[in-house]
Amino acid sequence: MDDTDRRLMRASQAGLPLTPEPYQTLAEQLCLSKDEVMQRLTAMQEQGLIRRIAAVPNHYRLGYRFNGMTVWEVPDERIDELGLKVGQLPFVSHCYHRPRHLPEWPYNLFAMVHGKTQAEAEAQIRQIADLLGAHNRGHDVLYSTKILKKTGFRSGQSAG
Amino acid sequence: MMDWQKRLLDDFQRDFPLSPTPYQDIAERLGVTEAEVIGALSDLQDRRFVSRIGAVIPPNQIGVSTLAAMAVPEAQLPTIAEFINGFPEVNHNYEREHRLNLWFVAVASDAEHLQAVIARIERHTNFAVLQLPLLDDFFIDLGFKLDWRHV
């Protein structure tokens, strides 16, 4: 990835223009050719530097009011296998391995769930618990009560 | 919202056309005009049903980041949140129901810069910041299957 890729990544992440030829518009903003913009975006997608190009829906606005950060304590030696299983559940939007901070924070697996009702979110959490089975040594769910800041620049996402 | 507008959101969370005229290509697939697609996307963005149209970048492609958590007294939360939000490095900040009630993501160009931001937050607020950086990403990101009941 070179500087041009980085500039293009930032610009395309911030938003594709709503013009008939958005990649041409982007190219003009970055002093590149349209072909170069499209080639670089294709290459970055193939390399996994860009995950996808998308119209990104605003879940909260579409009625998903119960957004829970579920956190699980699972054995470190099983986390890759378990994380991949949880990450594949259709209602999980992010699934990450993060460090524990003992004693106050024992959880090492994070999965974001989204429900339109509390019951729906709880059913999703039960499904994760069932999938983890005896490997689940404890879990918690932290619902968001207020979005205090959310900017368009998402390279850290709810990720970090 | 009309059916083709729902499909616009369902079908183009991935495989958004990387072609000279993507909105025209989408229009052909949905059986409407390019102007209708552009108009609908503009309207969906204005009404905040779509947060943006653009590239989705996996975490940690640009710079170094961490998820951070703090336990702060409810009465001080608005002031502390405002202070934290003032940092351009902070791109997400949520209040959550937990003893650790303030959760934010900070992104910086390098680890040193990131730690300087965290240190300033700790010094200014007098509360500890728990850092939970990403170690591994297990998510296969194909977009999100939307449920159109009760929109």
Side-chain angles (χ1 to χ4, degrees):
Chain A
M1 184 162 63
D2 60 17
D3 271 351
T4 306
D5 278 339
R6 239 168 252 128
R7 283 197 302 139
L8 180 57
M9 189 187 267
R10 282 177 192 277
S12 60
Q13 185 183 38
L16 274 188
L18 286 170
T19 53
E21 295 189 59
Y23 302 109
Q24 172 67 37
T25 310
L26 214 55
E28 285 161 16
Q29 287 165 3
L30 299 170
C31 299
L32 299 168
S33 74
K34 178 183 71 186
D35 287 345
E36 188 176 1
V37 162
M38 288 172 53
Q39 277 159 15
R40 283 177 179 269
L41 286 174
T42 305
M44 282 196 281
Q45 267 188 297
E46 280 164 3
Q47 292 161 39
L49 296 170
I50 289 178
R51 207 166 244 172
R52 55 197 167 94
I53 296 175
V56 181
N58 175 348
H59 294 134
Y60 195 83
R61 188 77 174 82
L62 289 164
Y64 293 88
R65 298 293 155 88
F66 294 86
N67 301 296
M69 183 173 76
T70 73
V71 293
W72 308 81
E73 185 191 356
V74 301
D76 285 326
E77 62 275 15
R78 306 298 295 268
I79 196 159
D80 287 347
E81 164 210 341
L82 297 170
L84 283 172
K85 282 188 189 165
V86 173
Q88 281 173 23
L89 293 171
F91 49 80
V92 169
S93 71
H94 300 86
C95 184
Y96 298 124
H97 178 197
R98 296 186 185 278
R100 311 165 195 272
H101 275 273
L102 296 172
E104 61 175 328
W105 191 258
Y107 309 109
N108 55 348
L109 184 65
F110 286 58
M112 301 296 308
V113 302
H114 307 272
K116 291 199 167 184
T117 61
Q118 176 127 23
E120 192 180 356
E122 280 168 3
Q124 294 171 349
I125 293 157
R126 273 197 305 278
Q127 222 175 307
I128 298 176
D130 288 347
L131 196 154
L132 294 175
H135 299 306
N136 172 18
R137 294 174 180 170
H139 73 276
D140 204 345
V141 183
L142 288 76
Y143 286 103
S144 59
T145 45
K146 208 181 227 174
I147 300 172
L148 302 163
K149 183 176 187 182
K150 188 171 183 184
T151 60
F153 187 64
R154 292 160 64 101
S155 88
Q157 271 210 329
S158 359
Chain B
M1 210 181 292
M2 293 200 277
D3 273 348
W4 69 267
Q5 292 173 323
K6 291 178 184 172
R7 278 187 60 206
L8 185 60
L9 282 183
D10 273 331
D11 297 354
F12 297 98
Q13 289 181 55
R14 54 185 300 225
D15 300 331
F16 187 93
L18 197 41
S19 70
T21 54
Y23 303 118
Q24 175 63 35
D25 297 356
I26 292 173
E28 281 166 22
R29 283 186 38 194
L30 297 177
V32 295
T33 66
E34 181 186 52
E36 282 175 306
V37 168
I38 290 178
L41 286 173
S42 167
D43 181 53
L44 288 169
Q45 278 189 302
D46 287 346
R47 290 158 69 200
R48 295 185 300 112
F49 284 114
V50 167
S51 38
R52 71 202 167 88
I53 299 155
V56 178
I57 312 288
N60 291 330
Q61 288 295 338
I62 301 176
V64 183
S65 66
T66 191
L67 175 67
M70 296 174 79
V72 304
E74 200 60 42
Q76 283 173 260
L77 192 130
T79 325
I80 290 178
E82 200 184 328
F83 174 74
I84 291 172
N85 291 349
F87 286 88
E89 292 86 354
V90 171
N91 61 10
H92 283 70
N93 194 0
Y94 291 91
E95 182 181 348
R96 295 191 180 276
E97 287 174 328
H98 194 268
R99 191 184 70 80
L100 290 161
N101 53 353
L102 195 58
W103 291 77
F104 60 92
V105 175
V107 188
S109 50
D110 56 53
E112 199 182 343
H113 182 164
L114 182 64
Q115 290 315 313
V117 169
I118 300 290
R120 274 187 63 195
I121 292 172
E122 288 188 321
R123 264 200 317 276
H124 180 89
T125 63
N126 276 320
F127 292 107
V129 174
L130 194 68
Q131 294 187 56
L132 301 164
L134 185 73
L135 300 178
D136 236 318
D137 181 358
F138 298 120
F139 182 54
I140 318 300
D141 187 0
L142 301 176
F144 192 83
K145 181 84 192 79
L146 293 167
D147 168 9
W148 290 105
R149 291 169 299 166
H150 328 293
V151 169

